[in-house]
Structure formats: structure tokens, C-alpha cells
Amino acid sequence: MSISTPDLCDAHGDAVQVVEPMFINYGGRERFGGQIVTIKCFEDNSLVRELVAEPGQGKVLVVDAGGSMRRACLGDMLAEKAVANGWEGILMYGCIRDVDQISALNLGVQALGTHPMKTEKKGIGERDLAVTFGGVTFRPGDYLYGDNNGIIVAQQSLV
């Protein structure tokens, strides 16, 4: 996907929301976009594991991990599952780990930062609900586009 968030903003300025600049691009795919699928969890990536095992063609996983900077909700093994199942990208409102391995994968990954500690697996969390962070509400079925310039969200596909 050869999207450009500045070009999309220029062409569709009234139809997009721009996420506050807080994310770092860690994935091997610098530009990504697709239909939003959401998870809300805190220091437990059980649902992340479940969703990346499902088909993800044309989809971006948005994880509201509560902005936690104490645990990583995504590592190389789950990122590899996401690639194997066709996910376009993952936006993590929290931390990831195994960044060297993730940067080699054909997957868009943006997160707040990195942390070496994995999460606990308690099966706690919710999926397919509206989540809000970075000044934007992410709704399942809306569209997310991300690159090194930032992240934007629209109610319909822009590409």
C-alpha cells in the first residue's frame, strides 16, 4: 500500500481525524491501512493472541492497552502470526517488544514504546468496541491509515 497520510489529509481533510503524535513506527511496513478491529485490554495480551490468529486481510488491529508502559502487549511471535494471517498492521496504545524481529516483518506496527517484560495471560479484555485515545475514537469498521507522518482515521475507505 502506497498511502501518504499528508496526501489523504489534503484530499479528505473534512473526513479524517488525526491521532495526536505519540506513536513510533516499528514495523517492517512503514505505510499501512485498513478496516479497524479493536481490542481493549490492560497488561494482558490474551485477546491480541486470539485476534492475530484470525484472518486479517485488509484489516488493522487497534489495541487500547491503556497506555501501559510496564508490559509489552505484542512480541515477535504474535507479530509473525499476524503476518501469516494477512493483517495489514497493528496500532498499540502501549508497548511492544522484540523490535528487531518485528522491524523485519511485512507488517505495519506503531506503538508508544518498547518494554522487555511480557504480559500476564488472564484472558481479560474486550473486543469490537469503540476505544478512545490520542484524541480520536476508533470504531470497528472505520478505516485507519498510518505512515511515518502520523495516523489518521476515517469512517470510510479513502483508497
Side-chain angles (χ1 to χ4, degrees):
M1 177 175 284
S2 61
I3 59 129
S4 163
T5 57
D7 290 348
L8 291 175
C9 285
D10 291 351
H12 307 280
D14 293 340
V16 302
Q17 297 179 72
V18 179
V19 180
E20 294 169 0
M22 63 177 72
F23 291 95
I24 301 166
N25 205 342
Y26 293 103
R29 185 186 295 176
E30 291 185 343
R31 299 168 186 253
F32 62 98
Q35 198 166 30
I36 294 171
V37 177
T38 62
I39 294 175
K40 186 176 182 86
C41 59
F42 185 75
E43 298 181 2
D44 180 342
N45 69 349
S46 301
L47 284 180
V48 176
R49 177 178 302 279
E50 285 180 24
L51 260 88
V52 298
E54 296 178 6
Q57 288 79 10
K59 297 178 183 174
V60 174
L61 181 57
V62 175
V63 182
D64 181 352
S68 174
M69 301 301 276
R70 303 184 311 183
R71 302 275 178 154
C73 279
L74 179 73
D76 60 341
M77 294 189 315
L78 296 186
E80 288 168 0
K81 276 189 183 185
V83 171
N85 288 301
W87 287 86
E88 302 296 327
I90 299 173
L91 178 64
M92 178 66 64
Y93 183 55
C95 289
I96 66 167
R97 65 187 204 162
D98 304 316
V99 295
D100 295 331
Q101 294 85 349
I102 289 173
S103 71
L105 298 175
N106 185 22
L107 181 69
V109 177
Q110 292 201 20
L112 295 179
T114 64
H115 199 287
M117 184 66 71
K118 67 181 179 178
T119 67
E120 295 182 29
K121 312 290 188 283
K122 298 179 181 178
I124 298 171
E126 299 174 87
R127 63 182 277 184
D128 301 323
L129 69 158
V131 296
T132 302
F133 55 84
V136 171
T137 298
F138 301 83
R139 291 178 179 82
D142 284 358
Y143 289 80
L144 179 148
Y145 302 95
D147 62 14
N148 287 323
N149 296 293
I151 299 163
I152 62 173
V153 174
Q155 289 183 338
Q156 62 188 25
S157 176
L158 302 178
V159 295

